[in-house]
Amino acid sequence: MKSVTLAACSLLIYLIVSCSSDQTEQLEPQLEEISPTPYLYRPPVTEENGLPVARLKKEELAEAFVTRLSTKAPAGLVVMQQEKLVLEEYFNKDFAAFVCTGPLFPPYVGVLLGSVYTDEYGVPFKPIPLEEIFPPEEAGSSLALISANSPGGAHLQEQLVDRFDTLMQEQTGTTQGMAAEEFLFEPLQIDDYSWNEGSLCMHPHDILKTGSIWVKRGRWGTEQLLPSGFVERVLAPAYSSSTHPGAKAFGWQYYRLVAKGRKQPVLYWQYQEVHLFLLPEIEAVVLLQGKPGLMPDAWNWMQQFLIPSLVP
């Protein structure tokens, strides 16, 4: 009887050890670390009704920028240079959809005012009232950065939007939306846009188009949409040696970043998770989408990697 009992116990211990061993063997593969696939730059692909594409000047530097960006936070990145798409990466599918800007989005407001306040010879026939929309004092010039929850921010924005609407009505005899269709969306072939609670929503590619007008000195393709003198006036603070870093005017923040041994003028605008950079010296526009906490690192990486990747 004892021998039977001992045999049964031995069999039970064997089964327990055997099952435990099998279970351990099954779990081991799940604990293996999987190395992330390295980012390799791939030129954008031309899609139907999309932007023309081109290759970057230095692809390895762009890879370094995107690799660092992807480790920081989900983001979207679209870059246009000389009216061609050279880089497009989305780490979150939401960033590939419409981008909603503030109601006083500087490229949009500036193009409309610059277009309707210009006579048939391409020369402004009366002062373009940018200062009325982006007053020189701190509160107005940094309006794009004011939250609706900031003291007086929502009221100030509402006042300036109303003033903008009035100017459009006085100058064109029609609504702001109809003026935008004639002077901006039609020339840029922007067909897909909407107004959402006062904000203008467009595809990322179309946001780049509005920025390209400024880095191309008022031109889109073969058409001069804005007087070059007006564009130079808006860009001027970025070239001034007396402009302190981050100075604000006309809705933009102005910087000069040292990249590849020379200072590159930069115009910057931010609204919630949307960050737009104009680089007039190299005719480039950068749209970066991501949480504000991304920006301290992103500025450094732009200076170290992205801007040099675009410089001939």
Side-chain angles (χ1 to χ4, degrees):
M1 187 68 180
K2 287 184 178 180
S3 61
V4 173
T5 303
L6 289 173
C9 289
S10 299
L11 177 61
L12 180 60
I13 292 171
Y14 172 80
L15 290 174
I16 291 174
V17 173
S18 177
C19 291
S20 176
S21 176
D22 289 344
Q23 187 177 13
T24 302
E25 290 177 1
Q26 291 173 2
L27 289 176
E28 282 180 355
Q30 299 176 10
L31 299 176
E32 290 180 358
E33 293 185 3
I34 300 175
S35 300
T37 303
Y39 171 76
L40 295 176
Y41 172 76
R42 295 179 300 276
V45 178
T46 302
E47 299 177 358
E48 185 178 358
N49 298 325
L51 292 170
V53 300
R55 296 191 74 97
L56 275 169
K57 302 293 187 299
K58 299 176 180 64
E59 297 173 358
E60 69 282 359
L61 291 174
E63 289 179 3
F65 178 78
V66 177
T67 298
R68 285 162 175 76
L69 193 68
S70 63
T71 62
K72 181 71 177 179
L77 175 67
V78 195
V79 182
M80 171 190 280
Q81 186 172 32
Q82 297 176 344
E83 299 184 355
K84 294 182 179 180
L85 195 65
V86 295
L87 181 58
E88 184 171 28
E89 294 291 338
Y90 301 107
F91 305 100
N92 184 324
K93 64 180 181 180
D94 292 338
F95 290 131
F98 270 21
V99 176
C100 291
T101 68
L104 296 178
F105 180 42
Y108 167 75
V109 172
V111 169
L112 284 195
L113 289 173
S115 298
V116 303
Y117 276 76
T118 300
D119 67 13
E120 61 184 358
Y121 300 106
V123 179
F125 62 87
K126 63 170 65 175
I128 299 173
L130 273 180
E131 289 86 352
E132 297 184 35
I133 304 303
F134 300 112
E137 64 268 16
E138 179 70 12
S141 62
S142 60
L143 180 65
L145 302 176
I146 291 179
S147 166
N149 298 324
S150 300
H155 179 64
L156 175 61
Q157 188 174 72
E158 183 179 349
Q159 281 187 322
L160 296 184
V161 170
D162 289 344
R163 179 58 183 150
F164 180 44
D165 289 338
T166 301
L167 288 171
M168 288 296 99
Q169 181 70 39
E170 292 174 349
Q171 188 68 15
T172 66
T174 187
T175 65
Q176 176 202 144
M178 294 180 69
E181 179 64 35
E182 178 181 355
F183 292 102
L184 181 64
F185 299 139
E186 187 174 323
L188 294 183
Q189 297 181 329
I190 297 176
D191 302 317
D192 203 3
Y193 63 91
S194 66
W195 294 96
N196 182 14
E197 297 181 355
S199 294
L200 175 62
C201 301
M202 292 184 283
H203 188 276
H205 290 184
D206 294 328
I207 295 288
L208 294 181
K209 289 180 181 180
T210 65
S212 181
I213 294 175
W214 299 91
V215 299
K216 293 286 288 184
R217 302 303 196 274
R219 297 183 67 83
W220 175 256
T222 59
E223 189 173 357
Q224 188 77 37
L225 298 182
L226 292 177
S228 59
F230 170 54
V231 177
E232 293 294 338
R233 171 188 167 200
V234 174
L235 299 183
Y239 288 86
S240 173
S241 59
S242 62
T243 301
H244 63 275
K248 304 179 182 72
F250 306 138
W252 297 99
Q253 293 186 64
Y254 295 89
Y255 296 87
R256 289 197 298 165
L257 298 181
V258 176
K260 291 205 69 177
R262 63 175 298 173
K263 290 184 177 179
Q264 293 286 345
V266 180
L267 280 73
Y268 170 66
W269 176 86
Q270 180 263 332
Y271 177 77
Q272 296 179 356
E273 296 187 4
V274 180
H275 309 267
L276 186 69
F277 306 82
L278 305 186
L279 301 161
E281 283 291 287
I282 52 178
E283 296 185 355
V285 185
V286 178
L287 175 62
L288 177 61
Q289 298 168 261
K291 295 187 180 300
L294 175 71
M295 295 315 298
D297 288 324
W299 274 108
N300 293 330
W301 297 334
M302 279 191 60
Q303 186 171 349
Q304 189 175 359
F305 300 108
L306 186 58
I307 294 177
S309 78
L310 298 166
V311 176

